[in-house]
Amino acid sequence: MGVFLALFFLTVLILTLIWMLRVPRPVPMEVARAVYSVEAARCIVVPIVEGIYSERAVELACRLGERQHARLVLVHILEVPYTVPLETPLPDLEARGQRALETARFIAMQHGMKPEIRLVRHRSAPEGILSVARQVGADQIIMGIGLKRRASSDGLGRTVHEVMRRATCEVIVAKAPIVE
């Protein structure tokens, strides 16, 4: 019995050493860069509007930022027309924006994240999104949009085009078919 235990122990020890000393295959530099670039996101900004597209963008942001405990900033831009002062009360728009932000916050909290919520008044949505992204030092902006089926359009709106063109960080557009 003692010889059997000694052989068993020796076999386990040798297999453990072989496992520990086995060198993994080297990872190609391109793969390492791709993995690092996704894991490097420490602050993610998600513009929120009412609708499933923003909610999908929040879900995507949570999944991308969950593993590295990224800071999540949910922002709703109240576009105030140039014809009225920026501080003018807009109770209906503010209430709708607050509801959309609360829905987005609930989704983020389901992932164990504690998002920052911002309701920002600005003259233009793209400029407001970019301003918040600069203020918080965003690594990514994730925008959810619906796929518009028009022959003359690429399906992207003015806001998405402007943010993609002017952002200094990565912009991810989650494009989904319009639910009718």
Side-chain angles (χ1 to χ4, degrees):
M1 181 71 169
V3 173
F4 174 72
L5 286 175
L7 286 174
F8 177 74
F9 177 74
L10 187 61
T11 305
V12 170
L13 182 65
I14 289 172
L15 290 174
T16 303
L17 284 173
I18 290 171
W19 175 77
M20 287 176 55
L21 297 175
R22 183 185 54 134
V23 178
R25 289 191 334 253
V27 175
M29 186 57 74
E30 296 80 17
V31 173
R33 263 191 247 126
V35 170
Y36 176 76
S37 71
V38 171
E39 290 183 351
R42 300 285 178 234
C43 182
I44 302 172
V45 172
V46 183
I48 303 296
V49 294
E50 284 183 307
I52 187 71
Y53 313 113
S54 289
E55 294 159 9
R56 286 173 48 109
V58 172
E59 180 69 24
L60 178 61
C62 290
R63 290 182 186 198
L64 286 174
E66 210 168 12
R67 199 165 139 203
Q68 60 267 17
H69 306 290
R71 176 179 172 202
L72 182 62
V73 180
L74 306 174
V75 61
H76 179 81
I77 306 297
L78 285 176
E79 273 190 295
V80 180
Y82 286 100
T83 57
V84 297
L86 201 54
E87 317 74 47
T88 302
L90 302 167
D92 292 342
L93 291 177
E94 289 174 17
R96 288 174 60 193
Q98 209 53 33
R99 275 194 309 273
L101 285 169
E102 286 306 314
T103 302
R105 179 198 312 253
F106 182 78
I107 293 168
M109 293 183 79
Q110 295 302 304
H111 287 274
M113 299 183 87
K114 293 180 175 39
E116 293 178 30
I117 303 297
R118 295 185 182 211
L119 186 66
V120 176
R121 294 169 159 273
H122 213 284
R123 299 292 184 186
S124 112
E127 190 58 45
I129 293 166
L130 294 168
S131 173
V132 170
R134 277 190 300 273
Q135 288 172 7
V136 300
D139 297 307
Q140 292 178 342
I141 299 172
I142 300 179
M143 303 179 76
I145 63 167
L147 174 59
K148 297 176 182 163
R149 295 189 177 99
R150 281 190 238 145
S152 63
S153 171
D154 61 4
L156 304 176
R158 175 188 65 85
T159 300
V160 174
H161 274 290
E162 201 57 30
V163 169
M164 287 176 59
R165 188 174 69 78
R166 296 182 44 213
T168 57
C169 62
E170 181 178 14
V171 177
I172 298 173
V173 178
K175 190 172 173 181
I178 291 180
V179 179
E180 294 177 10

